[in-house]
Amino acid sequence: MAKIKVTKVRSVIKRPKNQKRIMESLGLRKMNQTVEHEDTPNILGMINKVNHLVSVETK
């Protein structure tokens, strides 16, 4: 499976609780933190919900 890099580029302050939970479940807690995930439909759905808060790179 392909890997994707997800980087937190915007803060979750004053965001809905579900977006905060999605960011936590992706493993993104601090600004400019980068995590790698498998390119699965579950992960892509979560990224789609918070795409205005993250930057995504495919490998």
Side-chain angles (χ1 to χ4, degrees):
M1 276 214 144
K3 293 269 192 178
I4 54 174
K5 280 182 152 184
V6 184
T7 305
K8 182 176 179 179
V9 294
R10 304 257 335 239
S11 175
V12 293
I13 295 173
K14 292 191 176 182
R15 300 290 176 185
K17 197 167 216 174
N18 64 338
Q19 291 180 3
K20 291 180 183 181
R21 287 182 182 157
I22 289 171
M23 295 294 277
E24 283 283 325
S25 64
L26 285 172
L28 297 170
R29 290 171 182 82
K30 296 181 179 180
M31 290 299 297
N32 298 317
Q33 182 181 8
T34 303
V35 293
E36 280 193 16
H37 288 287
E38 294 289 329
D39 193 4
T40 63
N42 292 338
I43 297 295
L44 292 177
M46 288 194 294
I47 291 171
N48 192 31
K49 292 283 187 181
V50 293
N51 64 353
H52 56 287
L53 302 174
V54 296
S55 170
V56 180
E57 289 180 33
T58 56
K59 280 185 126 183

